[in-house]
């Protein structure tokens, strides 16, 4: 922040939060609407990490503000991609509110389709694992349109 070099993850988060507090918002007309508190809680339940959003930017950190452990990065990235795609679909459809179980499952299935078209079996396996985790973590819902098991 003092101009001596690139910001580390902690500085980036602090900078974004300060910008948000001071009213700075993304001017990108294609920017997604922010995630709801329920969406952020579900991301944490799914990954064990926090999705931080501020001033139009997003990052994923643990409870100490550190980046995900190297071994967790592939699954956290897959989950982030699924949430991102689900939210993008919701915005495109003009919907507002929390993401549903079906929104996430549809997003993962879309990502699986892309991986299959590229012949990326490692990503397909990772996405299958993610889909299984979604089914396990949010299996208490009786309705796929339920807001990620919060009813």
């Amino acid at each position: 922040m003092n101009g001596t070099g690139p910001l580390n993850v902690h500085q980036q988060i602090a900078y974004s939060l300060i910008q948000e507090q001071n009213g700075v918002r993304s001017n990108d007309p294609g920017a997604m609407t922010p995630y709801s508190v329920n969406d952020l809680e579900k991301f944490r339940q799914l990954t064990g990490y926090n999705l931080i959003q501020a001033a139009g930017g997003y990052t994923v950190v643990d409870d100490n503000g550190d980046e995900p452990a190297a071994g967790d990065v592939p699954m956290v990235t897959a989950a982030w991609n699924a949430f991102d795609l689900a939210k993008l679909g919701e915005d495109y459809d003009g919907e507002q509110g929390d993401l549903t179980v079906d929104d996430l499952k549809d997003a993962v299935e879309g990502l699986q389709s892309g991986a299959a078209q590229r012949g990326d079996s490692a990503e397909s396996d990772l996405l299958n694992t993610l889909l299984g985790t979604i089914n396990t973590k949010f299996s208490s819902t009786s309705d796929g349109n339920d807001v990620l098991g919060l009813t």
Side-chain angles (χ1 to χ4, degrees), residues 3 12 14 23 35 38 44 65-66 69 72 83 89 101-102 116 119 127 150:
Q12 289 172 346
Y35 289 98
N38 288 336
R44 178 165 170 64
D66 295 319
D72 294 341
F83 270 74
V101 173
D102 283 346
L127 292 166
L150 293 177

Side-chain angles (χ1 to χ4, degrees), residues 4-85:
T4 60
L7 303 178
N8 67 33
V9 69
H10 297 124
Q11 291 168 327
Q12 289 172 346
I13 293 169
Y15 180 75
S16 293
L17 290 172
I18 291 167
Q19 284 187 310
E20 184 83 10
Q21 177 184 344
N22 291 328
V24 175
R25 304 288 188 270
S26 173
N27 292 327
D28 180 0
M32 294 185 307
T33 56
Y35 289 98
S36 71
V37 171
N38 288 336
D39 294 341
L40 298 175
E41 288 175 4
K42 291 308 170 190
F43 186 86
R44 178 165 170 64
Q45 285 181 334
L46 191 60
T47 66
Y49 289 91
N50 304 295
L51 177 58
I52 304 293
Q53 56 187 4
Y58 299 88
T59 191
V60 176
V61 296
D62 67 12
D63 289 340
N64 296 316
D66 295 319
E67 297 174 346
D72 294 341
V73 168
M75 185 57 71
V76 170
T77 301
W80 161 249
N81 289 339
F83 270 74
D84 192 39
L85 186 58

